[in-house]
Amino acid sequence: VMGLIPSPVAHVAMTAGQDGSVRIFDYAKRSLEHTARFSQPATLLIGLDSGHTVAAVGFKDGVVRLIARKPSGLQLLAAHKPHQGAVTSLALSPDATSLASSGEDGTVFFFKVKECTSLEPICFTKLPAVATCADWASDGSKLMLGLHDGRLLELQPPQGSVDTEKTFEMALPYRTCTLLLPKPKKAAKVAKGDDKAGADAGQGEGGMAAETQAAPLRTSLDGEELDEEGKEKQAQEQEEEREEEEAESVDDDAQHEVLTLSYIPNSGHAFHVTLGGRWAGHVWQGSFQDGQEAIEAVPAFDTPSTAPTSFFRYSRNGRYQLMGTCDGVVRMQPASGPGTPPSGKFWQGSLHDVHAGRVSAVALSFDEKYLLSAAWDGSIYLQELHIPGVSPSIPLPSSPEALLSDEEGPKHVADITNPSDYTIEKAKQKAEEDAKIAAAESKKMGVRDYLHQIRTEFEALVAENAAKPEAERLPRSAFEIDVGLREMIAEETAKRIEEAGMEVAWETAKRKLALKKLKAFFFDHIEVERIVLYGVRVKHYVTTFRTAALSEDMQHELELAKEAEAARAAARSRAVFESNKAQNVSGRPSLSSGSARQDSKQTVDEAKLTKADQRRLARKKREAEWHAFNLTRPDEKYENEADVQAIYEAEQNMGDYKLKSDQNYVIPEEDRMTPQRKRHQMLLLEEAMHSVRMDFNHRFLALREVKRKVITEINSRVQQLEAIHEQLGRLAPASREGFSETPFDIPPMLTLRPEEVPEDREKVSQEDVEEHVRQKEAAKSKAAASKLGGFGGHGGPAAASTPPSNQKASDSGSKQAAAQAGKAGEAAGGGGGGGAPTGEEALAKMMAAVPLSELEKQLQAYQRRKLEQQAARLHYEVLEMADTFDDALSTLRREKLGLEAQIKLCEIRQLVHAQELSLLQDFDKREVVFIEKRTAKMVDRNDILVKINDCNAKLDSKRVEIEQLLARRHAVAAEFDAAVPDTEMFKEQLAKIFNRKIKRSKKKAAGGRQGDDDESEEESEDGEEEDDEEEGDDDDDEGEEACPPGCDQNLYERVCDLREKRLDEEELIAEFTKTIETLRKEKEALVKKQKVLEMGLAAINQDITEFQKEKQQALNQIDVIVNLKMHQIEYLVDRRIPDDTSAGLVFSSRELERLKNRIHEMDQERLELKAKHKELKKEHLQLLKDKAAKDQRVAELEGRAHDVQMLKFGQIINLDLLDTIGASRGTEELKEEIRKQEEAYTKELAEWDKKIAERTNELMALTAENTRALNAVSEMTAAQRGLESGLTKTRKTMFVDPVLQRRQEVEERDSLVQLVNAQATEIERVKAQILALRSKNTSVYT
């Protein structure tokens, strides 16, 4: 209900609704009196007279109607269309002589009210925004309007007479202002009770305050301070309120829609206004001031609720203030007069729907006994008032209502029912244009009639000419009066077409650009749009999957996802086989190849080695072979590759079915889900769905191409059938005896429907153009024929264009005339064959009159049977092709149904993935923290391991070096034993000298520091004290050392040299021992750090495991939809499906069957393994026997070698010691280095000799060329001198004839000029050769 006005003298009210109805209710009797319906929804309703018997109603199509309430019912008095859109406000001036209406087109129109029975348009003006409400000043000098953008506009209505000869538009002076509103405060949170609002009356101002004022926030409870939890909660609430205020903060100049406004009587320019948005909940008061663009508004009083107030008005006598809100709340409160604030008790009730019950009207009955309210939810509430202590002060009327009689007012008023009718302004502007159009149409009709008359006369002349004998008949060219007329018309037509194209060029470009943008928005991202394919004979059809193309970003993410998946698979494979490959594969080829290279090198140098060296190399080669062989021995952690591969395949394929819902389930690290992996999973699923759709679409398009071919084939056969049918129709009736008239049915011609080829939507045929032209002409004719106009039928043009029916008739008549003229022209142009029947036609008629012979009848019967057989074959082929295509279509349709189900399941799965992704993103922050901690620990652990490995490597290298040093010391001792045999008489003294400890100066490194003089005195003193201590320790050895008497001096010196070697080796051993001890302590410290890091890493891994359990439990809370058929449900209790299936498990039937079969497979494998174990046990026993035999053989060979050494040498020979006693290794190395340098120098000298030879050859070649050039120059010089001497000899005498001499000189000069030119040419050539010889560029010879 959009409006309600009660009668001031009776319990009657008029309403207007969105269903386009205007109703009269007798609310005291609870009855509906009268109803009038209109084509458009109503938007507003106001009364025009004091008795409210005539009302102005605004409608959605911009029409304003005057409706009078008469004894017989409701009658339409006037209908005008001032606006293009809906009417948004209606306001009647205080003297009831002017009516202002505003609409959605942003205009306000003024009418003059004549005796409340008609409206006269005055003028209109355009507003800066759409007006939502309006009110007149008490003196009628101003009109105030509230705009949709929150501004207020004060307009001066038109004064005096207005010139509306050309237009109703008039620029009226107005001023706009913006309301300066205080920033709304956030309401405190209070507890709401369960009492229903609006049932009881409040207690005056105190009641209102109790209803609207919020309770203060409590800071104490029973006199005690809040505890820590309460303080924390309070601080949290304050922080939330502050955040909400910051989030909801708006600028002070933000505007909201003005819902209601009204001038305050007798207060100048003061007004009351209600707003929407955040400033709802108050009635604001302000006042217009001259020269101000902003008005400061203050809250005048509160409204019934925080919802926007949609209705605010005082009763007729000003005793009550009436309000209604957008949430259906109605309030009535006493007031001391119009515009005054309310006081005393009030009544309030939530009567209408909270969401759709915007109150549109609140009114009191004339006797203040009833309260009426209407709202947008379609309800009208009637409240009977019983206010204690208040009695109605309005006396009851002594006379009935003064209704208009049925005879008063206009009898017949044309209503405006078409929403596309012109407004008042457009009707005025279109009147002249419509008159011109009507005149043009009339003129065109006159021309058409004249042309029709000429065409008729021409057709008569053509027919008369055709009826003449052939000798008197005129040729067709004789009827052409102006030969060049056709060309001239064609040129004019082409010129007009070109001009028309130029006129619409801009519009065409605009439409093309708009179409291009629409295509880009709707179709560019679509890879395959929706296409329908119908069957030929069946009614079934199938459609494509409307598929969007994958964006570039998605494709890039898919590539990254595939690369990540491949990397994870590769990493998983490497993790499984890395250790075994390192133990069993890596290192072996390098050893063998290294030994092979060493063998080849030894083979090459074998001729240069001595026999001792060759034996030594052979022993080393054998040791290397033993070492390589020992490397092939598997260690305790060795695992067979075949077994590892079998275990891996079993783990991957046999299945380890663990319930993810188990509380103790631990997710493997490679299967842990992250947001990135989930996103990749969603992308791969999206790509799979896209591939399925596109695969089906490709097959669909292929089937559509098949249908094209089928249609072509069927249409060709249909044409053949039509030809056969025509031939059968031409047969003589006698030959059709005994045959049916229609032996077969001709199928219709087939074509593809528009929805089957949507890509051809842009292709425009000639039929489409003609149809568009016809529709455009029909619309133009309909618009021109409209006689309603903007004044309800009085403002349209009197004469319009020809009605559509007449136009169609004239068009059809012209087409028939044209067809007749064409036929006549064909007859006339046929060379005289159209007037009378031709000879062939006469012969045919004569033959038809002659009866057929029996032979002719049999031939025609044979011909008919042949044609019928061909027709039956063609008909069968048509049906067969159609059925074949329909079968393929049905198959594709069934397949699509299955694919749709699968894709729908995939989409449901995508929704689950989306929920999981959101959950994973929430967990990702914590997981990142855990991963960062673990990564830091692992980095530290790896650093420690690297350091430990370095220490181990250094320790191993130091141990090897110590072993070498010990071997060298043993070699020195063995060398002493060899130099001083046991038979030597001075062996004891020499052994004492050899083992004696002596003081030695420390050797400085070659690259060490020099300048020991810089050391401090304290260090020197410390060193002297240490030396004194050492001297004290070695007092026993202070005696002067000398060669024992009688001992060989050379032997003594030899022993001293060996002692020096021994001492050097012992010093090195001591240094290496200290280094090893330092490395060992460093390693122990690192191992302790490693243990601490391992403990921290284990704790972090445990935290990650618990976190993964928590994440998995959260993921388990997401419901996953699985479609099951009845035969797939095997969880039965008493052969029935239980009500509670929570204990059930969704498991793959194929995997379940495979597990059942696996039981039998495992039994068989157990038997096979048992048999294989028995065979391996036998093989193991045999290998033990072979090993024992080999050990016995080795023991025999070792015994023989021992016996041979004891018999030959008397002791066991240490071969390694013999290698060390032999030739000096350093000497051999120096010799080898010298030999290598000599070979390198020899090779380098050979290269330099080769380069010198090449340069010498080049120099000789250049010298020869230069010599040849010099010889040529000398020859030419000699020739030149000979020529000069010849010239000199030509002079014989001193006195000669001048004339003859002159002639001779001229001849000689000419000959010399020729000679000089020739020589100059030759010289230039030679110079060029010389330059070429001097330069190093050889390109001139190529």
Side-chain angles (χ1 to χ4, degrees):
V1 180
M2 305 305 295
L4 180 147
I5 53 175
S7 172
V9 295
H11 291 151
V12 177
M14 181 185 296
T15 63
Q18 283 188 346
D19 58 351
S21 64
V22 178
R23 293 181 172 89
I24 303 297
F25 291 95
D26 188 337
Y27 51 85
K29 298 179 180 179
R30 312 297 195 271
S31 63
L32 175 64
E33 299 295 331
H34 306 288
T35 302
R37 293 189 178 274
F38 300 93
S39 60
Q40 293 294 319
T43 57
L44 289 168
L45 172 67
I46 66 169
L48 288 186
D49 60 341
S50 59
H52 288 183
T53 59
V54 179
V57 185
F59 290 87
K60 189 176 181 179
D61 57 352
V63 177
V64 177
R65 293 181 173 89
L66 293 187
I67 301 175
R69 182 161 59 92
K70 295 186 177 182
S72 60
L74 295 173
Q75 181 181 352
L76 178 64
L77 299 180
H80 299 273
K81 188 175 182 181
H83 305 288
Q84 190 63 37
V87 180
T88 57
S89 69
L90 290 172
L92 184 66
S93 63
D95 56 0
T97 59
S98 298
L99 177 68
S101 69
S102 64
E104 287 183 348
D105 56 355
T107 62
V108 56
F109 214 106
F110 292 92
F111 293 92
K112 183 177 181 181
V113 181
K114 294 184 176 181
E115 298 179 358
C116 295
T117 58
S118 64
L119 298 176
E120 179 183 350
I122 300 176
C123 65
F124 78 93
T125 187
K126 293 183 179 179
L127 303 176
V130 178
T132 57
C133 52
D135 190 29
W136 288 82
S138 57
D139 57 356
S141 61
K142 300 291 183 181
L143 176 67
M144 181 170 58
L145 298 102
L147 304 183
H148 188 272
D149 57 2
R151 292 181 294 171
L152 298 180
L153 184 144
E154 194 173 45
L155 180 67
Q156 182 177 352
Q159 302 294 332
S161 60
V162 179
D163 184 11
T164 58
E165 182 179 357
K166 294 183 179 180
T167 178
F168 285 100
E169 185 175 1
M170 185 178 181
L172 298 176
Y174 66 85
R175 59 177 178 174
T176 59
C177 65
T178 304
L179 294 176
L180 297 179
L181 301 168
K183 186 175 182 180
K185 297 182 180 179
K186 183 176 180 64
K189 298 180 180 179
V190 295
K192 296 183 179 179
D194 297 332
D195 299 337
K196 191 172 181 179
D200 301 323
Q203 299 298 326
E205 296 179 357
M208 180 183 295
E211 184 179 1
T212 59
Q213 186 177 359
L217 184 65
R218 292 189 302 170
T219 59
S220 62
L221 182 64
D222 296 334
E224 298 179 358
E225 294 185 355
L226 293 173
D227 55 1
E228 294 297 331
E229 183 178 358
K231 292 181 179 179
E232 183 179 355
K233 186 175 181 181
Q234 179 179 352
Q236 185 177 0
E237 291 179 355
Q238 292 177 356
E239 180 67 20
E240 291 178 355
E241 290 177 0
R242 186 170 63 254
E243 292 179 357
E244 291 178 1
E245 289 178 359
E246 293 176 357
E248 297 176 0
S249 62
V250 295
D251 297 334
D252 293 340
D253 57 349
Q255 303 297 332
H256 289 269
E257 181 182 4
V258 179
L259 298 178
T260 66
L261 59 82
S262 61
Y263 278 106
I264 300 176
N266 303 321
S267 60
H269 297 283
F271 57 85
H272 285 153
V273 64
T274 61
L275 304 173
R278 301 187 64 196
W279 283 280
H282 299 283
V283 175
W284 302 87
Q285 182 175 341
S287 178
F288 277 101
Q289 301 294 333
D290 294 337
Q292 290 186 357
E293 295 182 357
I295 299 175
E296 184 177 0
V298 296
F301 33 86
D302 296 334
T303 56
S305 67
T306 57
T309 301
S310 58
F311 183 87
F312 172 72
R313 193 170 298 175
Y314 287 86
S315 61
R316 294 175 61 87
N317 54 13
R319 293 177 56 187
Y320 294 97
Q321 185 188 82
L322 306 176
M323 290 188 189
T325 62
C326 291
D327 58 354
V329 177
V330 177
R331 174 187 283 186
M332 183 188 75
Q333 190 168 0
S336 58
T340 59
S343 61
K345 299 179 180 180
F346 64 87
W347 182 93
Q348 178 176 316
S350 181
L351 303 179
H352 302 279
D353 186 75
V354 176
H355 301 288
R358 174 173 175 171
V359 178
S360 57
V362 180
L364 287 171
S365 62
F366 72 96
D367 55 359
E368 296 182 352
K369 185 178 180 181
Y370 297 100
L371 175 66
L372 295 91
S373 64
W376 286 11
D377 58 355
S379 62
I380 299 175
Y381 276 87
L382 178 67
Q383 305 290 332
E384 188 173 358
L385 300 178
H386 297 285
I387 302 176
V390 178
S391 60
S393 61
I394 301 175
L396 296 177
S398 58
S399 61
E401 291 184 284
L403 300 178
L404 294 178
S405 62
D406 294 335
E407 290 76 14
E408 290 182 297
K411 300 298 182 183
H412 302 286
V413 178
D415 195 6
I416 302 175
T417 58
N418 190 359
S420 61
D421 286 344
Y422 295 148
T423 61
I424 298 174
E425 175 65 17
K426 283 188 177 181
K428 177 176 280 296
Q429 298 298 329
K430 292 287 185 178
E432 185 177 354
E433 182 180 353
D434 292 343
K436 293 180 180 179
I437 292 174
E441 289 293 332
S442 177
K443 187 175 180 181
K444 282 194 294 184
M445 290 302 298
V447 174
R448 287 173 183 170
D449 294 339
Y450 179 68
L451 290 175
H452 181 67
Q453 181 181 356
I454 295 176
R455 187 179 290 110
T456 304
E457 294 178 358
F458 179 76
E459 291 172 357
L461 291 174
V462 171
E464 183 180 356
N465 182 61
K468 296 285 185 181
E470 186 175 359
E472 298 179 3
R473 193 178 303 159
L474 295 175
R476 188 68 176 84
S477 60
F479 290 91
E480 295 185 4
I481 301 174
D482 190 352
V483 179
L485 183 60
R486 293 182 183 273
E487 297 179 358
M488 182 178 66
I489 293 174
E491 291 178 358
E492 291 180 357
T493 304
K495 186 176 180 181
R496 290 180 180 177
I497 292 173
E498 184 179 359
E499 291 177 354
M502 294 175 65
E503 290 176 357
V504 300
W506 184 87
E507 187 69 22
T508 303
K510 177 183 176 182
R511 297 296 176 85
K512 287 182 178 179
L513 182 59
L515 181 60
K516 184 178 179 181
K517 291 181 179 179
L518 289 174
K519 287 181 181 177
F521 185 78
F522 289 104
F523 291 108
D524 282 0
H525 64 283
I526 299 299
E527 194 167 359
V528 176
E529 57 182 311
R530 185 178 185 274
I531 306 174
V532 184
L533 190 63
Y534 294 95
V536 179
R537 297 185 63 195
V538 298
K539 295 183 180 180
H540 296 159
Y541 66 90
V542 66
T543 61
T544 58
F545 288 106
R546 193 173 188 269
T547 308
L550 298 177
S551 62
E552 295 181 358
D553 296 339
M554 185 176 292
Q555 292 178 1
H556 180 65
E557 290 184 5
L558 279 170
E559 293 177 1
L560 296 179
K562 293 178 181 178
E563 292 176 0
E565 189 67 25
R568 283 195 296 271
R572 194 180 299 112
S573 301
R574 285 196 303 270
V576 173
F577 300 106
E578 186 175 6
S579 59
N580 299 290
K581 289 184 179 179
Q583 294 177 3
N584 303 322
V585 179
S586 63
R588 297 179 187 175
S590 61
L591 287 173
S592 61
S593 60
S595 61
R597 288 195 297 270
Q598 187 177 2
D599 293 343
S600 62
K601 183 176 180 180
Q602 291 176 359
T603 303
V604 173
D605 297 338
E606 186 175 0
K608 300 180 181 180
L609 299 177
T610 61
K611 292 183 178 179
D613 293 335
Q614 292 178 1
R615 286 194 297 271
R616 184 170 63 253
L617 292 175
R619 286 195 298 273
K620 290 183 177 179
K621 180 179 179 181
R622 188 162 54 253
E623 290 176 358
E625 291 177 354
W626 273 106
H627 179 70
F629 177 74
N630 290 329
L631 289 178
T632 60
R633 177 182 297 175
D635 58 1
E636 296 179 356
K637 298 181 180 180
Y638 172 76
E639 294 180 353
N640 190 6
E641 292 184 7
D643 296 340
V644 172
Q645 182 66 23
I647 293 172
Y648 176 75
E649 291 180 356
E651 291 177 349
Q652 296 296 322
N653 301 321
M654 293 180 64
D656 185 9
Y657 304 105
K658 297 180 180 179
L659 288 177
K660 293 184 179 180
S661 58
D662 188 7
Q663 296 293 334
N664 298 323
Y665 173 70
V666 179
I667 307 173
E669 188 170 358
E670 63 274 6
D671 295 335
R672 290 175 182 175
M673 190 58 65
T674 61
Q676 293 77 16
R677 294 183 65 180
K678 180 58 67 175
R679 173 64 178 168
H680 293 169
Q681 188 177 2
M682 295 176 67
L683 290 172
L684 294 175
L685 183 58
E686 188 67 29
E687 185 190 26
M689 290 191 295
H690 180 270
S691 301
V692 170
R693 292 191 183 102
M694 290 305 300
D695 180 64
F696 176 82
N697 291 339
H698 290 323
R699 287 185 279 114
F700 177 92
L701 296 175
L703 186 62
R704 188 180 66 169
E705 294 301 322
V706 171
K707 185 177 181 181
R708 291 180 189 271
K709 297 178 181 179
V710 169
I711 288 176
T712 303
E713 296 294 332
I714 290 177
N715 289 340
S716 65
R717 284 163 175 75
V718 169
Q719 291 176 358
Q720 296 178 19
L721 286 172
E722 291 176 351
I724 292 174
H725 183 72
E726 185 179 355
Q727 293 179 12
L728 289 174
R730 288 198 300 266
L731 292 176
S735 64
R736 296 198 294 267
E737 295 177 357
F739 298 97
S740 59
E741 292 296 331
T742 57
F744 56 87
D745 296 331
I746 300 178
M749 299 289 284
L750 300 178
T751 57
L752 289 175
R753 301 184 185 182
E755 54 267 27
E756 292 180 304
V757 282
E759 61 272 15
D760 295 342
R761 66 171 66 90
E762 298 180 9
K763 295 181 181 179
V764 181
S765 62
Q766 186 62 29
E767 291 78 5
D768 297 334
V769 174
E770 293 176 356
E771 180 64 23
H772 175 70
V773 171
R774 285 196 295 269
Q775 292 178 359
K776 191 173 181 180
E777 290 179 352
K780 187 184 296 183
S781 301
K782 185 177 180 181
S786 178
K787 296 182 180 181
L788 296 178
F791 298 94
H794 301 286
S801 61
T802 306
S805 59
N806 298 338
Q807 185 178 0
K808 291 181 179 179
S810 62
D811 292 343
S812 61
S814 61
K815 289 181 181 179
Q816 292 176 1
Q820 293 176 2
K823 292 179 180 179
E826 291 176 0
T838 61
E840 295 180 357
E841 293 178 356
L843 181 61
K845 292 180 179 179
M846 187 188 307
M847 294 297 294
V850 177
L852 297 175
S853 63
E854 291 297 329
L855 180 59
E856 290 176 341
K857 290 181 180 179
Q858 292 179 2
L859 288 174
Q860 288 191 359
Y862 168 75
Q863 186 68 17
R864 181 174 180 83
R865 292 192 185 94
K866 181 180 179 181
L867 293 175
E868 288 180 351
Q869 191 274 336
Q870 292 178 0
R873 179 178 57 80
L874 292 173
H875 196 265
Y876 173 75
E877 291 176 357
V878 169
L879 297 179
E880 185 179 9
M881 286 189 291
D883 294 339
T884 303
F885 174 79
D886 290 341
D887 293 341
L889 184 72
S890 300
T891 303
L892 192 66
R893 181 171 175 268
R894 289 192 297 270
E895 183 179 355
K896 190 194 176 186
L897 292 175
L899 291 177
E900 283 179 340
Q902 296 178 7
I903 290 175
K904 187 60 66 177
L905 291 177
C906 292
E907 291 175 350
I908 294 174
R909 191 179 305 170
Q910 282 288 59
L911 294 176
V912 176
H913 289 340
Q915 296 178 4
E916 293 175 349
L917 178 62
S918 177
L919 193 62
L920 290 172
Q921 289 175 348
D922 295 338
F923 281 97
D924 189 50
K925 296 180 181 178
R926 295 170 56 192
E927 188 171 7
V928 168
V929 174
F930 283 123
I931 291 175
E932 289 178 353
K933 291 182 179 180
R934 186 179 65 176
T935 303
K937 292 289 184 182
M938 292 180 69
V939 170
D940 295 340
R941 187 190 65 177
N942 293 335
D943 294 340
I944 295 296
L945 291 176
V946 170
K947 292 179 181 179
I948 291 175
N949 292 333
D950 292 341
C951 289
N952 290 330
K954 291 179 181 179
L955 286 173
D956 293 340
S957 63
K958 294 298 181 183
R959 291 193 184 99
V960 172
E961 291 179 359
I962 284 180
E963 291 176 359
Q964 293 178 356
L965 292 175
L966 292 174
R968 287 167 60 181
R969 189 178 67 176
H970 291 315
V972 171
E975 190 175 354
F976 173 78
D977 293 337
V980 183
D982 295 336
T983 58
E984 177 66 35
M985 58 183 300
F986 298 100
K987 184 173 182 180
E988 184 177 355
Q989 292 87 344
L990 293 176
K992 185 176 180 181
I993 293 171
F994 176 77
N995 295 321
R996 184 180 179 182
K997 295 181 179 179
I998 61 175
K999 298 178 182 180
R1000 288 155 39 97
S1001 60
K1002 295 183 179 180
K1003 297 181 180 180
K1004 297 181 181 179
R1009 295 182 302 170
Q1010 297 180 358
D1012 293 337
D1013 297 338
D1014 297 337
E1015 296 179 355
S1016 62
E1017 295 179 357
E1018 295 179 357
E1019 293 177 353
S1020 301
E1021 293 175 357
D1022 294 339
E1024 290 176 358
E1025 292 176 358
E1026 291 177 359
D1027 293 341
D1028 293 341
E1029 292 176 358
E1030 291 178 358
E1031 291 175 359
D1033 294 337
D1034 297 336
D1035 288 340
D1036 298 338
D1037 299 334
E1038 280 298 323
E1040 183 178 358
E1041 185 180 278
C1043 179
C1047 181
D1048 187 5
Q1049 184 67 27
N1050 294 329
L1051 180 61
Y1052 173 74
E1053 294 177 354
R1054 173 69 173 168
V1055 170
C1056 290
D1057 293 339
L1058 291 175
R1059 184 180 62 184
E1060 291 294 330
K1061 289 183 180 180
R1062 180 184 63 79
L1063 292 175
D1064 292 341
E1065 299 298 334
E1066 287 180 354
E1067 289 179 357
L1068 291 175
I1069 290 172
E1071 291 179 359
F1072 275 98
T1073 304
K1074 291 181 181 179
T1075 305
I1076 289 174
E1077 185 65 21
T1078 304
L1079 291 174
R1080 187 181 62 77
K1081 292 180 179 179
E1082 182 180 357
K1083 178 182 175 182
E1084 290 177 356
L1086 292 174
V1087 169
K1088 291 180 180 179
K1089 291 183 180 180
Q1090 181 189 2
K1091 291 181 179 179
V1092 174
L1093 290 174
E1094 291 290 348
M1095 293 174 62
L1097 187 61
I1100 293 175
N1101 288 332
Q1102 182 64 27
D1103 294 341
I1104 292 175
T1105 302
E1106 295 297 329
F1107 171 75
Q1108 293 295 334
K1109 289 181 180 179
E1110 180 184 356
K1111 184 169 69 173
Q1112 185 62 41
Q1113 291 175 4
L1115 291 175
N1116 291 338
Q1117 300 300 320
I1118 299 176
D1119 294 332
V1120 180
I1121 298 176
V1122 180
N1123 289 344
L1124 295 177
K1125 297 181 180 179
M1126 293 302 296
H1127 72 275
Q1128 293 178 290
I1129 301 176
E1130 299 183 3
Y1131 179 41
L1132 303 176
V1133 177
D1134 296 334
R1135 304 183 68 179
R1136 299 173 66 88
I1137 300 177
D1139 297 333
D1140 184 12
T1141 58
S1142 59
L1145 177 67
V1146 179
F1147 198 76
S1148 173
S1149 58
R1150 184 177 60 183
E1151 295 296 326
L1152 182 61
E1153 188 66 24
R1154 194 168 66 84
L1155 289 177
K1156 292 179 180 178
N1157 297 332
R1158 183 60 185 161
I1159 297 174
H1160 304 288
E1161 293 177 1
M1162 292 181 67
D1163 293 339
Q1164 185 66 25
E1165 289 177 3
R1166 183 175 59 81
L1167 296 176
E1168 293 176 357
L1169 289 174
K1170 189 174 181 180
K1172 188 176 181 180
H1173 177 70
K1174 187 180 293 185
E1175 294 177 359
L1176 290 175
K1177 191 173 182 181
K1178 292 180 181 179
E1179 185 179 357
H1180 178 66
L1181 294 175
Q1182 183 64 34
L1183 289 175
L1184 289 178
K1185 292 180 181 179
D1186 294 343
K1187 183 177 181 296
K1190 293 291 183 183
D1191 292 340
Q1192 185 178 1
R1193 176 64 178 167
V1194 169
E1196 292 176 359
L1197 292 176
E1198 287 181 351
R1200 290 177 58 186
H1202 181 270
D1203 295 341
V1204 169
Q1205 289 183 3
M1206 294 300 294
L1207 291 173
K1208 191 173 182 180
F1209 303 107
Q1211 62 180 356
I1212 302 300
I1213 303 301
N1214 189 351
L1215 298 180
D1216 295 333
L1217 183 61
L1218 286 177
D1219 292 339
T1220 58
I1221 296 175
S1224 176
R1225 184 177 300 176
T1227 304
E1228 296 296 331
E1229 290 178 355
L1230 289 175
K1231 288 181 180 179
E1232 181 65 21
E1233 186 68 25
I1234 291 171
R1235 185 182 61 79
K1236 290 181 180 179
Q1237 291 182 0
E1238 287 179 352
E1239 290 179 355
Y1241 293 153
T1242 303
K1243 185 176 181 181
E1244 186 176 357
L1245 287 174
E1247 292 178 355
W1248 281 108
D1249 291 339
K1250 184 177 179 181
K1251 292 180 181 180
I1252 291 170
E1254 291 176 355
R1255 297 298 182 270
T1256 304
N1257 293 333
E1258 292 179 0
L1259 179 61
M1260 291 175 63
L1262 293 174
T1263 304
E1265 291 291 334
N1266 193 15
T1267 303
R1268 285 195 294 271
L1270 293 175
N1271 291 334
V1273 172
S1274 63
E1275 291 176 358
M1276 293 176 67
T1277 305
Q1280 183 180 4
R1281 292 178 178 176
L1283 292 174
E1284 290 178 353
S1285 62
L1287 291 174
T1288 305
K1289 291 178 181 181
T1290 55
R1291 297 182 180 179
K1292 297 180 179 180
T1293 59
M1294 186 175 299
F1295 303 99
V1296 294
D1297 187 3
V1299 177
L1300 182 59
Q1301 185 180 2
R1302 180 65 178 171
R1303 187 179 298 116
Q1304 291 176 357
E1305 288 176 356
V1306 170
E1307 292 175 356
E1308 289 175 357
R1309 185 181 61 188
D1310 295 336
S1311 62
L1312 288 175
V1313 168
Q1314 294 177 0
L1315 180 61
V1316 169
N1317 292 334
Q1319 289 179 354
T1321 305
E1322 184 67 15
I1323 289 170
E1324 293 295 332
R1325 185 179 65 79
V1326 173
K1327 286 182 179 180
Q1329 292 179 359
I1330 292 172
L1331 291 174
L1333 292 173
R1334 289 179 179 175
S1335 64
K1336 294 182 180 181
N1337 186 8
T1338 59
S1339 61
V1340 295
Y1341 301 106
T1342 59

